[in-house]
Amino acid sequence: MKDTRLKIDGSGYKYYENLVEHLGTKDTKIIFGEEFYWPRQFEIHLPSNHKTSCNLHCKWCQGGLYDRQLGTWEVEGLDILNKLKGAIPYHIYGGAYTEPTMNPYLISYLATTKKYNNCFGIHTNGTKLLILEDTVGFLTELDRLADSKEDYLSISLDGGLAWSWAKAKSSKSSMFYDIIEGIRKIVLIRNKSNKSYAIRVCYLMDKYNDSEGNILSVIGIMKDLGVDSVRFAIPYAKYNQTFDIVTKYKDDVEDVCKDVYAEKVKPYLSDDITDKPYVFYVGSDATNVDNYTFNKCIYNAYQITYGADGYVYKCSAVAAPDAKQCRIGKITSDLDEFKRLINKNKNEAWDCKKMCFDKGLRCNRMAIELNQEYKNRTDK
Protein backbone atom coordinates (compact mmCIF):
# COMPACT_ATOMS: atom_id res chain seq x y z
CA MET A 1 0.00 0.00 0.00
CA LYS A 2 1.29 3.44 -0.88
CA ASP A 3 2.53 5.81 1.82
CA THR A 4 -0.58 7.84 2.66
CA ARG A 5 0.83 9.76 5.60
CA LEU A 6 -0.01 13.41 5.66
CA LYS A 7 2.47 16.13 4.83
CA ILE A 8 0.18 19.13 4.80
CA ASP A 9 -0.23 22.11 7.08
CA GLY A 10 2.25 20.95 9.69
CA SER A 11 0.64 17.55 10.12
CA GLY A 12 4.06 16.18 10.89
CA TYR A 13 3.86 12.58 9.71
CA LYS A 14 7.16 12.54 7.73
CA TYR A 15 9.73 12.94 10.38
CA TYR A 16 13.11 13.07 8.66
CA GLU A 17 11.84 15.80 6.36
CA ASN A 18 10.74 17.72 9.46
CA LEU A 19 14.19 17.33 11.02
CA VAL A 20 16.04 18.49 7.90
CA GLU A 21 13.78 21.53 7.73
CA HIS A 22 14.44 22.29 11.40
CA LEU A 23 18.22 21.94 11.14
CA GLY A 24 18.32 23.89 7.90
CA THR A 25 20.66 21.42 6.21
CA LYS A 26 20.84 17.87 4.88
CA ASP A 27 24.41 17.57 6.14
CA THR A 28 24.27 14.82 8.78
CA LYS A 29 27.52 16.01 10.40
CA ILE A 30 25.60 18.65 12.32
CA ILE A 31 23.72 16.04 14.36
CA PHE A 32 26.69 15.03 16.52
CA GLY A 33 28.84 18.08 15.80
CA GLU A 34 30.24 20.43 18.42
CA GLU A 35 27.94 23.32 17.51
CA PHE A 36 25.01 23.69 19.90
CA TYR A 37 21.51 23.56 18.45
CA TRP A 38 18.06 23.28 19.95
CA PRO A 39 15.98 20.18 19.23
CA ARG A 40 12.88 20.55 17.08
CA GLN A 41 10.45 19.77 19.85
CA PHE A 42 10.08 19.65 23.61
CA GLU A 43 7.98 16.71 24.79
CA ILE A 44 6.32 17.39 28.13
CA HIS A 45 4.69 14.48 29.93
CA LEU A 46 2.60 16.24 32.56
CA PRO A 47 2.02 13.99 35.60
CA SER A 48 -1.78 13.77 35.26
CA ASN A 49 -3.49 14.71 38.55
CA HIS A 50 -0.63 13.41 40.75
CA LYS A 51 -2.96 10.69 42.05
CA THR A 52 -3.39 8.34 39.11
CA SER A 53 -1.54 8.25 35.82
CA CYS A 54 -4.60 7.90 33.59
CA ASN A 55 -8.37 7.53 33.87
CA LEU A 56 -8.52 4.71 31.30
CA HIS A 57 -7.01 1.24 31.04
CA CYS A 58 -6.45 0.95 27.32
CA LYS A 59 -5.71 -2.51 26.00
CA TRP A 60 -2.94 -1.18 23.79
CA CYS A 61 -1.48 1.48 26.10
CA GLN A 62 2.17 1.72 25.08
CA GLY A 63 3.19 2.50 28.66
CA GLY A 64 0.98 -0.13 30.28
CA LEU A 65 3.98 -2.14 31.50
CA TYR A 66 5.92 0.82 32.87
CA ASP A 67 6.31 1.86 36.49
CA ARG A 68 4.00 4.88 36.40
CA GLN A 69 5.45 7.26 38.97
CA LEU A 70 4.23 10.85 39.08
CA GLY A 71 6.24 13.89 40.10
CA THR A 72 5.28 17.46 41.03
CA TRP A 73 7.57 19.54 38.83
CA GLU A 74 5.14 21.66 36.81
CA VAL A 75 6.32 25.02 38.19
CA GLU A 76 9.92 24.24 37.17
CA GLY A 77 8.67 23.22 33.73
CA LEU A 78 6.79 26.47 33.24
CA ASP A 79 9.86 28.38 34.38
CA ILE A 80 12.08 26.75 31.76
CA LEU A 81 9.53 27.51 29.01
CA ASN A 82 9.66 31.17 29.96
CA LYS A 83 13.46 31.15 29.99
CA LEU A 84 13.62 29.45 26.60
CA LYS A 85 11.69 32.38 25.11
CA GLY A 86 10.60 30.32 22.11
CA ALA A 87 13.93 28.61 21.31
CA ILE A 88 12.33 25.18 20.82
CA PRO A 89 9.56 25.60 18.24
CA TYR A 90 7.22 22.67 19.03
CA HIS A 91 5.87 21.64 22.42
CA ILE A 92 4.16 18.24 22.58
CA TYR A 93 1.87 17.46 25.49
CA GLY A 94 1.29 13.73 25.85
CA GLY A 95 2.75 10.96 27.93
CA ALA A 96 4.36 7.54 27.93
CA TYR A 97 1.77 6.58 30.55
CA THR A 98 -0.08 9.77 31.48
CA GLU A 99 -3.11 11.76 30.29
CA PRO A 100 -2.30 15.48 29.89
CA THR A 101 -5.87 16.76 30.19
CA MET A 102 -5.98 15.46 33.77
CA ASN A 103 -3.24 17.89 34.77
CA PRO A 104 -4.32 21.21 36.34
CA TYR A 105 -1.39 23.07 34.73
CA LEU A 106 -2.10 22.14 31.10
CA ILE A 107 -3.75 25.38 30.06
CA SER A 108 -0.93 27.37 31.69
CA TYR A 109 1.56 25.38 29.64
CA LEU A 110 -0.38 25.99 26.43
CA ALA A 111 -0.55 29.71 27.19
CA THR A 112 3.20 29.80 27.82
CA THR A 113 3.87 27.90 24.60
CA LYS A 114 1.91 30.46 22.62
CA LYS A 115 3.35 33.40 24.56
CA TYR A 116 6.59 32.85 22.65
CA ASN A 117 4.97 31.98 19.31
CA ASN A 118 5.72 28.27 19.60
CA CYS A 119 3.34 25.56 18.38
CA PHE A 120 1.65 22.93 20.52
CA GLY A 121 0.43 19.40 19.99
CA ILE A 122 -1.84 17.60 22.47
CA HIS A 123 -2.25 13.83 22.54
CA THR A 124 -5.28 12.83 24.60
CA ASN A 125 -7.81 10.05 25.07
CA GLY A 126 -10.47 12.75 24.79
CA THR A 127 -12.56 11.75 27.78
CA LYS A 128 -12.03 15.02 29.64
CA LEU A 129 -12.61 17.48 26.79
CA LEU A 130 -16.36 17.88 27.32
CA ILE A 131 -16.32 18.32 31.09
CA LEU A 132 -13.34 20.67 30.91
CA GLU A 133 -15.17 22.86 28.42
CA ASP A 134 -18.39 22.81 30.45
CA THR A 135 -16.65 23.65 33.73
CA VAL A 136 -13.69 25.89 32.90
CA GLY A 137 -14.03 26.68 29.19
CA PHE A 138 -10.93 24.67 28.31
CA LEU A 139 -11.73 24.16 24.62
CA THR A 140 -12.72 27.79 24.20
CA GLU A 141 -9.38 28.84 25.67
CA LEU A 142 -7.48 26.27 23.60
CA ASP A 143 -9.10 27.77 20.50
CA ARG A 144 -8.23 31.30 21.60
CA LEU A 145 -4.59 30.33 22.06
CA ALA A 146 -4.20 28.27 18.88
CA ASP A 147 -2.98 30.65 16.19
CA SER A 148 -1.05 28.38 13.84
CA LYS A 149 -1.95 25.71 11.31
CA GLU A 150 0.75 23.64 13.01
CA ASP A 151 -1.02 23.53 16.38
CA TYR A 152 -3.04 20.36 16.80
CA LEU A 153 -5.26 18.31 19.06
CA SER A 154 -5.00 14.55 18.56
CA ILE A 155 -7.60 12.19 20.06
CA SER A 156 -6.95 8.46 20.43
CA LEU A 157 -10.42 7.08 19.81
CA ASP A 158 -9.97 3.38 18.90
CA GLY A 159 -13.63 2.63 18.40
CA GLY A 160 -16.48 3.53 16.12
CA LEU A 161 -19.19 2.18 18.40
CA ALA A 162 -19.58 2.62 22.14
CA TRP A 163 -19.32 -1.06 23.02
CA SER A 164 -16.16 -1.65 20.97
CA TRP A 165 -14.58 1.50 22.39
CA ALA A 166 -15.33 0.24 25.89
CA LYS A 167 -13.67 -3.11 25.09
CA ALA A 168 -10.52 -1.42 23.82
CA LYS A 169 -10.37 1.00 26.74
CA SER A 170 -11.61 -1.30 29.52
CA SER A 171 -14.00 1.46 30.51
CA LYS A 172 -17.68 2.41 30.56
CA SER A 173 -19.27 2.78 27.14
CA SER A 174 -20.95 6.05 28.19
CA MET A 175 -17.56 7.77 28.06
CA PHE A 176 -17.47 7.20 24.29
CA TYR A 177 -20.32 9.68 23.88
CA ASP A 178 -18.49 12.21 26.05
CA ILE A 179 -15.54 12.02 23.66
CA ILE A 180 -17.74 12.49 20.60
CA GLU A 181 -19.46 15.50 22.17
CA GLY A 182 -16.10 16.92 23.18
CA ILE A 183 -14.89 16.64 19.59
CA ARG A 184 -18.14 18.16 18.36
CA LYS A 185 -17.68 21.15 20.65
CA ILE A 186 -14.09 21.86 19.69
CA VAL A 187 -14.96 21.66 15.98
CA LEU A 188 -17.91 24.02 16.44
CA ILE A 189 -15.72 26.43 18.39
CA ARG A 190 -13.06 26.29 15.69
CA ASN A 191 -15.63 26.81 12.95
CA LYS A 192 -16.84 29.93 14.70
CA SER A 193 -13.35 31.36 15.13
CA ASN A 194 -12.24 30.25 11.66
CA LYS A 195 -8.89 29.06 13.02
CA SER A 196 -6.61 26.68 11.09
CA TYR A 197 -5.22 24.36 13.78
CA ALA A 198 -5.73 20.63 13.23
CA ILE A 199 -8.11 18.24 14.98
CA ARG A 200 -7.03 14.66 14.39
CA VAL A 201 -8.42 11.27 15.34
CA CYS A 202 -6.30 8.12 15.73
CA TYR A 203 -7.81 4.65 15.55
CA LEU A 204 -5.89 1.53 16.61
CA MET A 205 -7.53 -1.56 15.12
CA ASP A 206 -8.14 -4.89 16.84
CA LYS A 207 -10.65 -7.74 16.85
CA TYR A 208 -13.24 -5.64 18.71
CA ASN A 209 -13.29 -2.61 16.43
CA ASP A 210 -12.21 -3.85 12.98
CA SER A 211 -15.71 -4.51 11.65
CA GLU A 212 -17.17 -2.66 8.70
CA GLY A 213 -19.76 -1.21 11.07
CA ASN A 214 -17.08 0.32 13.28
CA ILE A 215 -15.09 1.66 10.35
CA LEU A 216 -18.13 3.19 8.67
CA SER A 217 -19.32 4.61 11.98
CA VAL A 218 -16.11 6.40 12.92
CA ILE A 219 -15.58 7.79 9.42
CA GLY A 220 -19.20 8.90 9.22
CA ILE A 221 -19.14 10.56 12.63
CA MET A 222 -15.85 12.33 11.96
CA LYS A 223 -16.99 13.48 8.54
CA ASP A 224 -20.16 14.85 10.10
CA LEU A 225 -18.17 16.61 12.82
CA GLY A 226 -15.56 17.98 10.43
CA VAL A 227 -12.25 16.79 11.90
CA ASP A 228 -9.16 17.05 9.73
CA SER A 229 -7.91 13.47 9.65
CA VAL A 230 -8.56 9.90 10.74
CA ARG A 231 -5.57 7.61 10.98
CA PHE A 232 -6.12 3.85 11.12
CA ALA A 233 -3.21 1.77 12.40
CA ILE A 234 -2.23 -1.53 13.97
CA PRO A 235 -1.20 -1.14 17.60
CA TYR A 236 2.38 -2.14 18.18
CA ALA A 237 3.52 -4.21 21.12
CA LYS A 238 3.75 -2.49 24.48
CA TYR A 239 7.04 -1.03 25.60
CA ASN A 240 9.19 -2.66 28.28
CA GLN A 241 9.06 -6.19 26.85
CA THR A 242 11.91 -8.42 25.69
CA PHE A 243 12.41 -8.59 21.95
CA ASP A 244 11.48 -12.28 21.80
CA ILE A 245 8.02 -11.34 23.09
CA VAL A 246 7.84 -8.47 20.61
CA THR A 247 8.87 -10.83 17.80
CA LYS A 248 6.10 -13.22 18.77
CA TYR A 249 3.65 -10.32 18.67
CA LYS A 250 4.85 -9.51 15.17
CA ASP A 251 4.34 -13.10 14.06
CA ASP A 252 0.97 -13.58 15.76
CA VAL A 253 -0.63 -10.16 15.31
CA GLU A 254 1.15 -7.73 13.00
CA ASP A 255 1.94 -10.16 10.19
CA VAL A 256 -1.49 -11.76 10.44
CA CYS A 257 -3.53 -8.55 10.57
CA LYS A 258 -1.67 -5.92 8.56
CA ASP A 259 -3.00 -6.94 5.14
CA VAL A 260 -6.42 -7.84 6.50
CA TYR A 261 -6.84 -4.41 8.08
CA ALA A 262 -5.42 -2.69 5.01
CA GLU A 263 -8.08 -4.32 2.84
CA LYS A 264 -10.84 -3.47 5.30
CA VAL A 265 -10.08 0.24 5.27
CA LYS A 266 -8.98 0.46 1.64
CA PRO A 267 -12.44 1.41 0.25
CA TYR A 268 -12.60 4.38 2.61
CA LEU A 269 -9.10 5.84 2.26
CA SER A 270 -8.74 9.34 0.85
CA ASP A 271 -7.30 9.96 -2.61
CA ASP A 272 -7.57 13.72 -2.41
CA ILE A 273 -5.36 15.48 0.12
CA THR A 274 -8.09 18.08 0.60
CA ASP A 275 -10.60 15.49 1.84
CA LYS A 276 -12.06 16.26 5.25
CA PRO A 277 -11.43 14.13 7.08
CA TYR A 278 -8.35 12.85 5.29
CA VAL A 279 -8.56 9.11 6.00
CA PHE A 280 -5.34 7.10 5.88
CA TYR A 281 -3.82 3.84 7.11
CA VAL A 282 -0.43 3.16 8.67
CA GLY A 283 0.58 -0.50 8.64
CA SER A 284 3.04 -2.24 10.92
CA ASP A 285 5.98 -2.61 8.55
CA ALA A 286 7.58 0.65 9.64
CA THR A 287 7.45 -0.13 13.35
CA ASN A 288 7.81 -3.89 13.73
CA VAL A 289 10.74 -5.51 15.46
CA ASP A 290 12.62 -6.20 12.23
CA ASN A 291 13.36 -2.49 11.92
CA TYR A 292 15.84 -2.39 14.78
CA THR A 293 18.92 -2.85 12.62
CA PHE A 294 20.49 0.50 13.53
CA ASN A 295 22.71 1.21 16.49
CA LYS A 296 23.00 5.01 16.43
CA CYS A 297 20.29 7.23 17.94
CA ILE A 298 19.73 10.70 16.46
CA TYR A 299 16.40 11.29 18.18
CA ASN A 300 18.20 13.87 20.32
CA ALA A 301 18.10 16.23 17.33
CA TYR A 302 14.33 15.92 17.16
CA GLN A 303 13.25 16.13 20.79
CA ILE A 304 14.03 16.23 24.48
CA THR A 305 11.56 14.91 27.06
CA TYR A 306 10.47 15.96 30.52
CA GLY A 307 9.12 12.71 31.97
CA ALA A 308 6.13 12.49 34.29
CA ASP A 309 8.32 11.18 37.11
CA GLY A 310 10.49 14.30 37.27
CA TYR A 311 13.45 13.27 35.11
CA VAL A 312 14.73 14.35 31.70
CA TYR A 313 14.87 11.43 29.28
CA LYS A 314 16.78 10.72 26.12
CA CYS A 315 13.63 9.60 24.37
CA SER A 316 9.91 10.13 24.80
CA ALA A 317 9.22 6.42 24.28
CA VAL A 318 11.32 5.42 27.31
CA ALA A 319 10.38 8.26 29.67
CA ALA A 320 9.65 6.02 32.64
CA PRO A 321 11.43 4.88 35.82
CA ASP A 322 12.05 1.47 34.24
CA ALA A 323 14.53 3.17 31.90
CA LYS A 324 16.82 4.80 34.43
CA GLN A 325 19.81 4.34 32.11
CA CYS A 326 18.03 6.63 29.63
CA ARG A 327 17.77 9.49 32.10
CA ILE A 328 20.04 12.42 31.32
CA GLY A 329 19.30 14.39 34.48
CA LYS A 330 16.58 15.78 36.73
CA ILE A 331 13.98 18.22 35.46
CA THR A 332 15.39 21.69 35.86
CA SER A 333 14.34 25.32 35.60
CA ASP A 334 17.94 26.45 35.10
CA LEU A 335 18.55 27.37 31.46
CA ASP A 336 22.29 26.65 31.49
CA GLU A 337 21.67 23.23 33.01
CA PHE A 338 18.96 22.56 30.44
CA LYS A 339 21.38 23.38 27.62
CA ARG A 340 23.95 21.08 29.22
CA LEU A 341 21.40 18.25 29.23
CA ILE A 342 20.61 18.85 25.57
CA ASN A 343 24.31 18.57 24.75
CA LYS A 344 24.59 15.46 26.92
CA ASN A 345 21.75 13.92 24.94
CA LYS A 346 23.78 14.48 21.75
CA ASN A 347 25.74 11.28 22.28
CA GLU A 348 27.19 9.54 19.23
CA ALA A 349 28.61 6.79 21.47
CA TRP A 350 25.14 5.76 22.67
CA ASP A 351 24.75 2.02 22.04
CA CYS A 352 21.10 1.42 21.17
CA LYS A 353 21.35 -2.34 21.51
CA LYS A 354 23.05 -2.32 24.89
CA MET A 355 21.20 0.61 26.45
CA CYS A 356 17.72 0.06 24.99
CA PHE A 357 17.02 -3.04 22.90
CA ASP A 358 18.62 -5.57 25.27
CA LYS A 359 16.56 -4.07 28.08
CA GLY A 360 13.20 -4.36 26.30
CA LEU A 361 13.07 -0.69 25.30
CA ARG A 362 12.15 0.39 21.78
CA CYS A 363 11.82 3.46 19.62
CA ASN A 364 8.54 5.05 18.63
CA ARG A 365 7.59 5.58 14.97
CA MET A 366 9.41 8.92 14.77
CA ALA A 367 12.71 7.61 16.14
CA ILE A 368 12.65 4.50 13.96
CA GLU A 369 12.28 6.59 10.82
CA LEU A 370 14.97 9.03 11.88
CA ASN A 371 17.48 6.37 12.92
CA GLN A 372 16.92 4.23 9.85
CA GLU A 373 17.34 7.22 7.56
CA TYR A 374 20.51 8.28 9.35
CA LYS A 375 21.95 4.79 8.94
CA ASN A 376 21.05 4.77 5.25
CA ARG A 377 22.70 8.15 4.70
CA THR A 378 25.85 7.52 6.72
CA ASP A 379 26.19 3.72 6.88
CA LYS A 380 26.81 4.04 10.63
Side-chain angles (χ1 to χ4, degrees), residues 161-167 171-178:
L161 302 169
W163 72 266
S164 60
W165 178 90
K167 283 284 189 180
S171 300
K172 296 179 180 179
S173 59
S174 59
M175 298 177 76
F176 175 79
Y177 301 106
D178 290 339

PDB file of all heavy atoms in Angstrom, residues 161-167 171-178:
ATOM      1  N   LEU A 161     -17.959   2.442  17.670  1.00  0.00           N
ATOM      2  CA  LEU A 161     -19.193   2.183  18.403  1.00  0.00           C
ATOM      3  C   LEU A 161     -18.868   2.148  19.889  1.00  0.00           C
ATOM      4  O   LEU A 161     -17.750   1.790  20.287  1.00  0.00           O
ATOM      5  CB  LEU A 161     -19.811   0.849  17.965  1.00  0.00           C
ATOM      6  CG  LEU A 161     -20.144   0.729  16.473  1.00  0.00           C
ATOM      7  CD1 LEU A 161     -20.483  -0.729  16.129  1.00  0.00           C
ATOM      8  CD2 LEU A 161     -21.293   1.650  16.090  1.00  0.00           C
ATOM      9  N   ALA A 162     -19.831   2.490  20.705  1.00  0.00           N
ATOM     10  CA  ALA A 162     -19.576   2.619  22.140  1.00  0.00           C
ATOM     11  C   ALA A 162     -19.087   1.324  22.766  1.00  0.00           C
ATOM     12  O   ALA A 162     -18.162   1.321  23.582  1.00  0.00           O
ATOM     13  CB  ALA A 162     -20.835   3.112  22.852  1.00  0.00           C
ATOM     14  N   TRP A 163     -19.694   0.208  22.377  1.00  0.00           N
ATOM     15  CA  TRP A 163     -19.325  -1.060  23.020  1.00  0.00           C
ATOM     16  C   TRP A 163     -17.906  -1.485  22.649  1.00  0.00           C
ATOM     17  O   TRP A 163     -17.159  -2.006  23.487  1.00  0.00           O
ATOM     18  CB  TRP A 163     -20.319  -2.165  22.659  1.00  0.00           C
ATOM     19  CG  TRP A 163     -20.208  -2.661  21.232  1.00  0.00           C
ATOM     20  CD1 TRP A 163     -20.917  -2.233  20.161  1.00  0.00           C
ATOM     21  CD2 TRP A 163     -19.312  -3.674  20.761  1.00  0.00           C
ATOM     22  NE1 TRP A 163     -20.521  -2.904  19.031  1.00  0.00           N
ATOM     23  CE2 TRP A 163     -19.538  -3.806  19.366  1.00  0.00           C
ATOM     24  CE3 TRP A 163     -18.348  -4.481  21.361  1.00  0.00           C
ATOM     25  CZ2 TRP A 163     -18.847  -4.701  18.570  1.00  0.00           C
ATOM     26  CZ3 TRP A 163     -17.642  -5.375  20.575  1.00  0.00           C
ATOM     27  CH2 TRP A 163     -17.890  -5.487  19.191  1.00  0.00           C
ATOM     28  N   SER A 164     -17.518  -1.257  21.379  1.00  0.00           N
ATOM     29  CA  SER A 164     -16.162  -1.647  20.969  1.00  0.00           C
ATOM     30  C   SER A 164     -15.124  -0.714  21.587  1.00  0.00           C
ATOM     31  O   SER A 164     -14.022  -1.149  21.939  1.00  0.00           O
ATOM     32  CB  SER A 164     -16.051  -1.655  19.444  1.00  0.00           C
ATOM     33  OG  SER A 164     -16.327  -0.384  18.897  1.00  0.00           O
ATOM     34  N   TRP A 165     -15.470   0.571  21.700  1.00  0.00           N
ATOM     35  CA  TRP A 165     -14.576   1.504  22.392  1.00  0.00           C
ATOM     36  C   TRP A 165     -14.354   1.053  23.826  1.00  0.00           C
ATOM     37  O   TRP A 165     -13.228   1.044  24.323  1.00  0.00           O
ATOM     38  CB  TRP A 165     -15.171   2.912  22.370  1.00  0.00           C
ATOM     39  CG  TRP A 165     -14.325   3.913  23.102  1.00  0.00           C
ATOM     40  CD1 TRP A 165     -13.320   4.668  22.597  1.00  0.00           C
ATOM     41  CD2 TRP A 165     -14.396   4.235  24.497  1.00  0.00           C
ATOM     42  NE1 TRP A 165     -12.755   5.454  23.572  1.00  0.00           N
ATOM     43  CE2 TRP A 165     -13.405   5.205  24.754  1.00  0.00           C
ATOM     44  CE3 TRP A 165     -15.207   3.807  25.543  1.00  0.00           C
ATOM     45  CZ2 TRP A 165     -13.197   5.731  26.017  1.00  0.00           C
ATOM     46  CZ3 TRP A 165     -14.999   4.340  26.806  1.00  0.00           C
ATOM     47  CH2 TRP A 165     -14.006   5.297  27.036  1.00  0.00           C
ATOM     48  N   ALA A 166     -15.430   0.667  24.504  1.00  0.00           N
ATOM     49  CA  ALA A 166     -15.333   0.236  25.893  1.00  0.00           C
ATOM     50  C   ALA A 166     -14.451  -1.005  26.032  1.00  0.00           C
ATOM     51  O   ALA A 166     -13.699  -1.142  27.006  1.00  0.00           O
ATOM     52  CB  ALA A 166     -16.725  -0.038  26.453  1.00  0.00           C
ATOM     53  N   LYS A 167     -14.521  -1.918  25.064  1.00  0.00           N
ATOM     54  CA  LYS A 167     -13.673  -3.107  25.091  1.00  0.00           C
ATOM     55  C   LYS A 167     -12.203  -2.720  24.965  1.00  0.00           C
ATOM     56  O   LYS A 167     -11.343  -3.229  25.693  1.00  0.00           O
ATOM     57  CB  LYS A 167     -14.050  -4.039  23.942  1.00  0.00           C
ATOM     58  CG  LYS A 167     -15.319  -4.844  24.152  1.00  0.00           C
ATOM     59  CD  LYS A 167     -15.088  -6.004  25.103  1.00  0.00           C
ATOM     60  CE  LYS A 167     -16.294  -6.923  25.141  1.00  0.00           C
ATOM     61  NZ  LYS A 167     -16.082  -8.061  26.078  1.00  0.00           N
ATOM     62  N   SER A 171     -13.297   0.388  29.802  1.00  0.00           N
ATOM     63  CA  SER A 171     -14.004   1.457  30.512  1.00  0.00           C
ATOM     64  C   SER A 171     -15.486   1.428  30.174  1.00  0.00           C
ATOM     65  O   SER A 171     -15.950   0.605  29.375  1.00  0.00           O
ATOM     66  CB  SER A 171     -13.403   2.814  30.141  1.00  0.00           C
ATOM     67  OG  SER A 171     -12.038   2.875  30.494  1.00  0.00           O
ATOM     68  N   LYS A 172     -16.241   2.341  30.781  1.00  0.00           N
ATOM     69  CA  LYS A 172     -17.681   2.405  30.563  1.00  0.00           C
ATOM     70  C   LYS A 172     -17.984   2.986  29.179  1.00  0.00           C
ATOM     71  O   LYS A 172     -17.411   3.984  28.772  1.00  0.00           O
ATOM     72  CB  LYS A 172     -18.336   3.275  31.636  1.00  0.00           C
ATOM     73  CG  LYS A 172     -18.209   2.711  33.051  1.00  0.00           C
ATOM     74  CD  LYS A 172     -18.860   3.653  34.061  1.00  0.00           C
ATOM     75  CE  LYS A 172     -18.739   3.094  35.472  1.00  0.00           C
ATOM     76  NZ  LYS A 172     -19.351   4.012  36.471  1.00  0.00           N
ATOM     77  N   SER A 173     -18.934   2.360  28.497  1.00  0.00           N
ATOM     78  CA  SER A 173     -19.266   2.779  27.137  1.00  0.00           C
ATOM     79  C   SER A 173     -19.813   4.204  27.086  1.00  0.00           C
ATOM     80  O   SER A 173     -19.708   4.883  26.058  1.00  0.00           O
ATOM     81  CB  SER A 173     -20.279   1.815  26.519  1.00  0.00           C
ATOM     82  OG  SER A 173     -21.467   1.765  27.285  1.00  0.00           O
ATOM     83  N   SER A 174     -20.388   4.690  28.185  1.00  0.00           N
ATOM     84  CA  SER A 174     -20.952   6.045  28.192  1.00  0.00           C
ATOM     85  C   SER A 174     -19.892   7.107  27.927  1.00  0.00           C
ATOM     86  O   SER A 174     -20.190   8.200  27.409  1.00  0.00           O
ATOM     87  CB  SER A 174     -21.634   6.333  29.533  1.00  0.00           C
ATOM     88  OG  SER A 174     -20.713   6.209  30.608  1.00  0.00           O
ATOM     89  N   MET A 175     -18.639   6.804  28.265  1.00  0.00           N
ATOM     90  CA  MET A 175     -17.561   7.774  28.055  1.00  0.00           C
ATOM     91  C   MET A 175     -17.293   8.006  26.575  1.00  0.00           C
ATOM     92  O   MET A 175     -16.781   9.061  26.180  1.00  0.00           O
ATOM     93  CB  MET A 175     -16.289   7.309  28.766  1.00  0.00           C
ATOM     94  CG  MET A 175     -16.446   7.191  30.278  1.00  0.00           C
ATOM     95  SD  MET A 175     -14.965   6.546  31.098  1.00  0.00           S
ATOM     96  CE  MET A 175     -13.914   7.994  31.049  1.00  0.00           C
ATOM     97  N   PHE A 176     -17.628   7.035  25.734  1.00  0.00           N
ATOM     98  CA  PHE A 176     -17.472   7.197  24.289  1.00  0.00           C
ATOM     99  C   PHE A 176     -18.257   8.410  23.804  1.00  0.00           C
ATOM    100  O   PHE A 176     -17.762   9.207  22.996  1.00  0.00           O
ATOM    101  CB  PHE A 176     -17.942   5.927  23.581  1.00  0.00           C
ATOM    102  CG  PHE A 176     -17.951   6.015  22.080  1.00  0.00           C
ATOM    103  CD1 PHE A 176     -16.788   5.880  21.353  1.00  0.00           C
ATOM    104  CD2 PHE A 176     -19.139   6.222  21.389  1.00  0.00           C
ATOM    105  CE1 PHE A 176     -16.791   5.957  19.958  1.00  0.00           C
ATOM    106  CE2 PHE A 176     -19.161   6.305  20.014  1.00  0.00           C
ATOM    107  CZ  PHE A 176     -17.987   6.166  19.288  1.00  0.00           C
ATOM    108  N   TYR A 177     -19.474   8.558  24.311  1.00  0.00           N
ATOM    109  CA  TYR A 177     -20.320   9.678  23.876  1.00  0.00           C
ATOM    110  C   TYR A 177     -19.785  11.016  24.388  1.00  0.00           C
ATOM    111  O   TYR A 177     -19.945  12.047  23.727  1.00  0.00           O
ATOM    112  CB  TYR A 177     -21.753   9.446  24.341  1.00  0.00           C
ATOM    113  CG  TYR A 177     -22.335   8.160  23.796  1.00  0.00           C
ATOM    114  CD1 TYR A 177     -22.505   7.045  24.618  1.00  0.00           C
ATOM    115  CD2 TYR A 177     -22.671   8.043  22.457  1.00  0.00           C
ATOM    116  CE1 TYR A 177     -23.016   5.864  24.115  1.00  0.00           C
ATOM    117  CE2 TYR A 177     -23.193   6.862  21.948  1.00  0.00           C
ATOM    118  CZ  TYR A 177     -23.357   5.773  22.777  1.00  0.00           C
ATOM    119  OH  TYR A 177     -23.855   4.596  22.279  1.00  0.00           O
ATOM    120  N   ASP A 178     -19.136  10.996  25.558  1.00  0.00           N
ATOM    121  CA  ASP A 178     -18.493  12.215  26.053  1.00  0.00           C
ATOM    122  C   ASP A 178     -17.384  12.666  25.103  1.00  0.00           C
ATOM    123  O   ASP A 178     -17.217  13.871  24.840  1.00  0.00           O
ATOM    124  CB  ASP A 178     -17.909  11.987  27.445  1.00  0.00           C
ATOM    125  CG  ASP A 178     -18.978  11.822  28.517  1.00  0.00           C
ATOM    126  OD1 ASP A 178     -20.113  12.266  28.281  1.00  0.00           O
ATOM    127  OD2 ASP A 178     -18.668  11.243  29.576  1.00  0.00           O
TER     128      ASP A 178
END
